[in-house]
Amino acid sequence: MSTQQEAPQDRIFTVPNSLSLARLVGVPLFLWLVLIEADWWALGVLVFAGLSDWLDGKLARALNQMSKLGTVLDPAADRLYILATLIGLTIRDIIPLWLVVALVAREFAILPIAPIVRRLGYSGTLPVHFIGKAGTMCLLYAFPLLLLGDHDGGAATAAKVTGWSFAIWGTGLYWWAAVLYWAQTRQLVLAGRASSPASGPDPAPGRGGPGDPGADPPAGDQKGAETPR
């Protein structure tokens, strides 16, 4: 890879990173608004977070401003918004404890993947799977709808039903993605064993095969996180 292609990976002060940082700053504000039951303001913060999440990815590709920091900030903001929403809605008795346990347990389930991938010698991380993104988006749609559903009226009832539909689908996709990430990790481990020194000569420098510790992870969306979504 040329120097010109690598340079954007080391940038910190970029437009997409600024949007991700702004989204992170909004997390405690959002939680506070939920706890004081300023629901419309809280929904406004969520709308901004959702729009900036979409926009920073578009701008990163359009402006060639993909960066290592961005691959950490973007999914971290998503996780923190989900965590803040879980805390706020649980305190207000809008969602049951079992949903919180299911989503938190999923995060613990994929926690060992990052150190395993690093131990294999890969310089990158697992690409974020479409299923994981879909699960995250379902949950980010579900929570504001459930927040609206905590009010009275026909619109609130419709929001509650729709919100629970997104929540159930999102939780299922979230766990499905975790299974896929572990399957991908297993493939990397098996590939690493198959390309051990005992199995034959090392590949030529710069031509790392699937088990080459210096090789990049499988091609995919490199807007991933330190651990997958």
Side-chain angles (χ1 to χ4, degrees):
M1 184 177 291
S2 67
T3 304
Q4 287 80 3
Q5 289 174 313
E6 289 179 354
Q9 297 293 324
D10 298 322
R11 295 177 185 173
I12 295 177
F13 299 106
T14 65
V15 175
N17 287 351
S18 299
L19 287 173
S20 294
L21 284 171
R23 197 157 71 253
L24 281 171
V25 170
V27 172
L29 173 62
F30 168 74
L31 179 58
W32 177 71
L33 290 170
V34 171
L35 292 178
I36 65 172
E37 300 189 15
D39 293 347
W40 290 107
W41 286 103
L43 288 172
V45 174
L46 271 186
V47 169
F48 165 77
L51 289 175
S52 64
D53 188 22
W54 171 81
L55 186 59
D56 66 8
K58 291 288 185 182
L59 290 175
R61 289 184 288 272
L63 302 176
N64 190 27
Q65 292 185 347
M66 302 292 288
S67 67
K68 294 177 182 178
L69 179 62
T71 64
V72 175
L73 288 180
D74 184 62
D78 289 341
R79 281 194 175 92
L80 287 174
Y81 269 104
I82 290 175
L83 178 61
T85 308
L86 287 174
I87 293 172
L89 299 191
T90 302
I91 291 175
R92 287 181 53 179
D93 291 324
I94 295 176
I95 61 174
L97 188 58
W98 65 262
L99 180 60
V100 180
V101 173
L103 294 175
V104 173
R106 186 270 190 182
E107 293 300 318
F108 279 102
I110 65 171
L111 203 58
I113 291 179
I116 291 174
V117 171
R118 284 196 295 266
R119 191 162 61 247
L120 290 172
Y122 284 85
S123 58
T125 56
L126 290 180
V128 174
H129 199 281
F130 170 77
I131 298 297
K133 288 184 177 182
T136 300
M137 290 307 299
C138 282
L139 292 174
L140 291 176
Y141 278 122
F143 294 139
L145 288 169
L146 292 175
L147 190 60
L148 285 175
D150 193 44
H151 298 271
D152 297 323
T157 301
K160 187 173 185 179
V161 172
T162 307
W164 270 111
S165 299
F166 274 118
I168 293 170
W169 271 104
T171 303
L173 290 173
Y174 225 41
W175 274 99
W176 185 7
V179 173
L180 293 176
Y181 290 133
W182 273 110
Q184 194 174 6
T185 303
R186 180 176 178 273
Q187 290 176 352
L188 292 177
V189 171
L190 293 177
R193 290 176 180 173
S195 62
S196 62
S199 64
D202 292 332
R207 297 188 59 192
D212 179 13
D216 290 328
D221 185 353
Q222 293 306 314
K223 200 168 179 287
E226 184 66 16
T227 54
R229 288 188 193 179

